[in-house]
Amino acid sequence: MLGLKEGTLLDVTLAATVSKETAYTSKIYDYNRASKTVLMYIPRKYGVDLDLSKHKGNFLIVAYTNRYLVKYKCSFLKHIDEDGVVLAAIKVLDEGDKVQRRQFYRLYKTMDIKFDLEAKEAKKVSAKSKLKPTINPDLMKAGSLEEFLDSFEALTAEEKPKEDSESYPGTLIDISGGGIHFYSNQKLEKENVINVHFVLDGKELSVKGEIINKVESLGTNFLFEYRVQFIKPPMEAQKYILDYIWKEQRMQQKIVKAPKSV
């Protein structure tokens, strides 16, 4: 079955459809092809195991292959605890269906980012903000060519679109394999296409995305909150993001399991 092998990243969705919120990102510990049984890690969140046995009915896993995602319907078999590592044994119930890259686990993380408008989007914004130049008639009467040229240059400077898109600062709220949520004081509109630049674990990443939601930010030092959906993210970048989320989850689990000092 496509994607079902040791080390494969999974999205676990405790719902009948992947359009619902993903519960968490996991990883395959082992896969038995003959019995169609998957052993996968169970990450802890706030010290509580996510218990699939309490979930009624079947659930979905979405496996990340090198080229696409594959959705499998599964059922819970049992929990296994091997040297403090909690695993879930699950049964794969179908042959899998390819799905669109749309719903992913969100990792809540705060960090600085930068973004810029796509070139064609920047031109749209520039065109909307153009001012019709008007010249002070008193300068014409005064006959000062230097003052006249200075005045005209100041009025027309805002008309000229910049050759290079300007970068704006933002603050990340959460990140997933499918997009980000961030704060910014820069005014954007839904359907604007932006390039987002950020650093994860020392690696610089740049991903194109579309603004899919915009709201006023209340109770913060920012004017707006934006949700961005990645547009055909490079496979390498998306895999790096997912691996980073997985490592962060594992780190949180280790912190929770660390013995308390006496």
Side-chain angles (χ1 to χ4, degrees):
M1 291 184 176
L2 289 174
L4 298 185
K5 59 183 180 181
E6 183 180 344
T8 297
L9 285 165
L10 303 172
D11 268 350
V12 180
T13 304
L14 304 182
T17 171
V18 290
S19 65
K20 299 294 184 182
E21 185 72 22
T22 299
Y24 58 87
T25 296
S26 186
K27 210 169 192 178
I28 293 181
Y29 177 80
D30 192 23
Y31 172 58
N32 187 312
R33 186 178 298 273
S35 63
K36 295 184 178 180
T37 302
V38 170
L39 290 181
M40 66 179 184
Y41 294 94
I42 300 294
R44 288 183 172 88
K45 189 174 183 181
Y46 308 117
V48 179
D49 287 342
L50 290 168
D51 192 349
L52 296 176
S53 63
K54 296 178 181 177
H55 179 69
K56 296 180 180 179
N58 300 325
F59 57 92
L60 302 177
I61 59 171
V62 180
Y64 291 80
T65 73
N66 290 331
R67 297 176 57 190
Y68 35 72
L69 308 180
V70 185
K71 174 186 68 178
Y72 294 98
K73 184 181 292 185
C74 304
S75 62
F76 174 80
L77 295 176
K78 63 179 178 178
H79 277 120
I80 301 172
D81 191 327
E82 291 192 356
D83 298 326
V85 176
V86 181
L87 304 171
I90 62 175
K91 178 80 171 180
V92 179
L93 302 177
D94 60 12
E95 296 302 314
D97 293 314
K98 293 180 184 178
V99 296
Q100 295 180 350
R101 300 176 178 273
R102 51 181 177 176
Q103 289 295 328
F104 302 85
Y105 174 83
R106 291 187 189 132
L107 176 70
Y108 293 93
K109 184 174 182 64
T110 301
M111 67 178 185
D112 294 332
I113 64 169
K114 289 185 178 181
F115 63 91
D116 55 73
L117 285 162
E118 279 278 280
K120 60 181 180 180
E121 298 288 333
K123 287 180 180 179
K124 289 180 185 177
V125 173
S126 176
K128 289 180 181 179
S129 62
K130 280 186 178 180
L131 298 175
K132 185 178 180 180
T134 57
I135 304 302
N136 187 342
D138 293 334
L139 292 177
M140 295 289 288
K141 292 176 183 178
S144 171
L145 179 61
E146 184 178 347
E147 287 183 285
F148 172 80
L149 292 175
D150 287 345
S151 175
F152 185 79
E153 183 178 352
L155 284 167
T156 57
E158 296 186 36
E159 282 194 34
K160 301 175 183 177
K162 298 180 179 178
E163 294 181 2
D164 298 322
S165 296
E166 184 177 355
S167 292
Y168 303 100
T171 298
L172 188 76
I173 303 172
D174 63 56
I175 184 170
S176 74
I180 63 170
H181 180 197
F182 71 95
Y183 295 123
S184 178
N185 288 324
Q186 178 62 30
K187 186 176 181 180
L188 301 169
E189 301 299 335
K190 285 183 65 175
E191 299 184 358
N192 278 164
V193 177
I194 64 174
N195 295 304
V196 186
H197 314 284
F198 51 95
V199 178
L200 281 184
D201 204 16
K203 185 177 179 64
E204 296 183 4
L205 299 173
S206 294
V207 187
K208 182 189 297 186
E210 178 184 351
I211 304 292
I212 59 173
N213 190 38
K214 168 190 174 182
V215 296
E216 291 185 9
S217 182
L218 303 177
T220 73
N221 295 324
F222 299 92
L223 297 177
F224 306 104
E225 292 182 27
Y226 297 104
R227 283 205 176 276
V228 174
Q229 181 175 315
F230 293 151
I231 300 173
K232 296 181 180 179
M235 177 61 71
E236 181 183 357
Q238 190 173 55
K239 185 177 185 302
Y240 190 89
I241 292 171
L242 291 166
D243 282 334
Y244 176 81
I245 291 173
W246 163 250
K247 286 190 290 186
E248 285 290 301
Q249 286 185 313
R250 294 289 292 160
M251 185 62 68
Q252 291 175 9
Q253 179 175 348
K254 288 180 180 178
I255 291 173
V256 168
K257 290 176 61 178
K260 296 180 180 180
S261 58
V262 179

